[in-house]
Amino acid sequence: MPVYHYKGYKNDGGSATGIIDAESPKVARVKLRKVGVFPTDMVEQGTTSNADVPGTSSSAIGRSPALSTTDVAMMTRQLATLLVAGLPLVEALGVMVDQSEKKSVKSLMADIREGIRGGKSYSAVLEGYPREFSQIYVHMVRAGEASGALDQILFRLAEFLEKQLALKHKVTNAILYPALMLIVGVSVLFFLMTFVVPKITAVFTSLKQALPWPTVVLMSISHFLADYWIVILGGVALVVWSVRRAMNTEAGKLKSDRWLLKIPLIGEVARMVAISRLTSTLATMLASGVQLLDAMDVAKRVMNNRVLEQAVEGARQNIREGETIAEPLKRSGEFPALVTHMIAVGERSGEMEEMLRRIGQIYDGEVDRVITRFTSLLEPIMILVMGVLVFFIVVAILLPIFEMGQMVR
């Protein structure tokens, strides 16, 4: 059934826009008039013929940007709730189309519903929307369809997406405040050194007297920044461009990820976040019925670190040849002993999903602890550094003034 995007006005004269599905534009107009909407413009957004081909629906092509992870998590939980209530999948999607307030969500749900009406499975339709639904999502939905427990799988997916969002927000919030302080501090110092200090030190230069070494150092730095600030900014831009270009290559990404893991504290946090993502994803996928090798192939991509991804892929190949999971991960040297030991215990006890879930919880807690310690230490350190720099500037300016006062006496 076609889906139409309409514009018009209501009985009270207010504007109205939205999406409606109907057999034809005429039927769509009749439906709208029944609810007090008088359409002035109507454009077909998607039909069954193009919804049957993954990724080619007009709403998928025209919708930009992609839905956020928050939107997908909310959609997933709502759909799971409707399925648990006993509604068939197509009817549940129809309810979501009617209730959704965001046009992008409404359009996506309508298009997915038409794809299912055209004879495709839910997972097959989702494959046509790789920006919204990751491979992890599609694999788990496919496993839920095969096991007949799609509603429970969707609940697990919603919880998984919400946990991933919470972890991302923790890391982002931890970085945001120090980054803001650094930008403000550097901007203030740059302004002082290029505009304020030269005007003050110009008085000392006109006296043609020997100046204290702090003042000489300050004047040298100030003149350099004032004379060559364009060159400095150009150099910084060139370095950033070169680094980004190098990181677009596979070798560059591998080197940068290896270098990142070696940075004190930051590398520790990056490794823990990657391990938390890997184990949580594996636990969710295995509990949903996805095969181990397929789960590892998909889960490794959520780590966002080429070094750790290679270690997981190497373990996956060894598992294919008959080895256990823990031993090849231990040989890689990239995973802490706690991780490999708990995985080995899970293999022996037959409770792999539970052990992986516990590892994820442990490292989530560790990330919280390290980030809290990091932010609590970084703030006073940055304030101390800024205070020392400002103190140096003040001393460098006041010393010549004191000397001139003594000479006058």
Side-chain angles (χ1 to χ4, degrees):
M1 185 181 296
V3 178
Y4 300 92
H5 180 267
Y6 65 86
K7 294 181 180 180
Y9 58 92
K10 304 176 185 177
N11 288 327
D12 57 4
S15 61
T17 60
I19 295 173
I20 189 172
D21 60 328
E23 291 80 2
S24 66
K26 182 177 179 181
V27 175
R29 293 178 186 277
V30 171
K31 284 186 175 182
L32 290 172
R33 290 193 184 99
K34 287 182 179 179
V35 296
V37 175
F38 298 89
T40 58
D41 186 25
M42 188 171 296
V43 179
E44 186 175 348
Q45 293 293 303
T47 62
T48 302
S49 59
N50 59 22
D52 291 342
V53 182
T56 60
S57 68
S58 60
S59 60
I61 295 173
R63 187 178 60 256
S64 179
L67 301 184
S68 66
T69 306
T70 304
D71 290 331
V72 176
M74 187 177 299
M75 289 163 45
T76 304
R77 186 169 291 281
Q78 289 174 347
L79 182 58
T81 303
L82 292 172
L83 293 179
V84 169
L87 273 69
L89 179 58
V90 173
E91 187 176 343
L93 290 169
V95 172
M96 293 183 65
V97 170
D98 295 335
Q99 293 183 348
S100 297
E101 297 180 357
K102 294 185 69 172
K103 293 181 181 179
S104 54
V105 175
K106 186 185 291 286
S107 177
L108 176 64
M109 291 292 98
D111 214 32
I112 290 174
R113 180 181 60 175
E114 296 310 311
I116 296 173
R117 282 177 174 175
K120 303 187 76 67
S121 65
Y122 186 38
S123 59
V125 176
L126 295 183
E127 284 183 316
Y129 302 88
R131 293 191 302 170
E132 289 82 5
F133 304 103
S134 64
Q135 290 189 16
I136 297 171
Y137 198 105
V138 175
H139 273 72
M140 289 180 62
V141 168
R142 186 175 292 121
E145 290 173 329
S147 63
L150 181 59
D151 51 354
Q152 299 303 319
I153 297 299
L154 290 174
F155 272 125
R156 288 177 184 167
L157 267 171
E159 292 175 0
F160 170 75
L161 292 172
E162 288 161 0
K163 287 180 180 178
Q164 294 295 309
L165 277 171
L167 181 61
K168 182 180 179 181
H169 289 159
K170 289 176 188 174
V171 176
T172 302
N173 291 337
I175 296 174
L176 188 61
Y177 180 68
L180 182 61
M181 284 188 63
L182 181 63
I183 292 172
V184 172
V186 170
S187 300
V188 170
L189 286 175
F190 186 80
F191 175 77
L192 288 175
M193 296 297 289
T194 54
F195 293 97
V196 178
V197 172
K199 293 181 180 179
I200 297 175
T201 55
V203 178
F204 304 148
T205 306
S206 63
L207 296 176
K208 297 181 180 181
Q209 294 181 352
L211 298 173
W213 69 265
T215 308
V216 174
V217 172
L218 179 67
M219 291 174 62
S220 300
I221 296 174
S222 176
H223 291 157
F224 178 79
L225 292 175
D227 295 340
Y228 299 101
W229 66 271
I230 296 180
V231 177
I232 295 171
L233 291 180
V236 171
L238 180 62
V239 170
V240 171
W241 176 81
S242 302
V243 170
R244 293 189 63 179
R245 183 176 180 181
M247 289 182 63
N248 285 332
T249 64
E250 193 62 32
K253 291 176 182 178
L254 184 62
K255 288 181 180 179
S256 63
D257 287 342
R258 183 175 288 112
W259 176 76
L260 177 66
L261 293 176
K262 294 179 180 179
I263 301 176
L265 193 60
I266 295 177
E268 180 185 357
V269 172
R271 190 183 299 275
M272 288 191 296
V273 169
I275 291 174
S276 173
R277 286 177 173 176
L278 173 69
T279 52
S280 299
T281 304
L282 276 177
T284 304
M285 295 187 74
L286 292 176
S288 302
V290 180
Q291 296 298 316
L292 175 61
L293 293 178
D294 292 336
M296 291 183 70
D297 184 45
V298 176
K300 69 181 183 182
R301 301 172 193 177
V302 305
M303 302 178 78
N304 291 331
N305 188 286
R306 297 298 189 281
V307 176
L308 299 178
E309 285 180 24
Q310 287 184 354
V312 174
E313 178 58 26
R316 181 171 171 269
Q317 297 302 326
N318 291 329
I319 294 168
R320 191 190 299 274
E321 296 170 2
E323 283 198 59
T324 61
I325 305 175
E327 192 58 34
L329 289 178
K330 183 178 180 180
R331 286 200 306 267
S332 70
E334 298 295 343
F335 293 86
L338 174 65
V339 175
T340 56
H341 178 71
M342 291 186 67
I343 290 176
V345 172
E347 288 179 306
R348 290 196 298 267
S349 64
E351 298 181 353
M352 177 62 71
E353 296 92 342
E354 180 62 21
M355 279 299 173
L356 289 169
R357 186 182 64 81
R358 289 182 183 178
I359 294 171
Q361 290 177 341
I362 290 172
Y363 277 90
D364 280 346
E366 283 295 300
V367 169
D368 276 341
R369 182 184 63 80
V370 173
I371 286 178
T372 302
R373 185 182 66 183
F374 175 74
T375 52
S376 63
L377 289 175
L378 188 60
E379 182 177 352
I381 289 174
M382 293 184 68
I383 293 174
L384 179 62
V385 171
M386 290 292 298
V388 170
L389 292 175
V390 172
F391 178 75
F392 175 79
I393 294 173
V394 172
V395 169
I397 293 174
L398 291 180
L399 278 177
I401 297 176
F402 291 154
E403 290 186 359
M404 285 189 294
Q406 290 177 356
M407 291 176 61
V408 171
R409 290 179 184 178

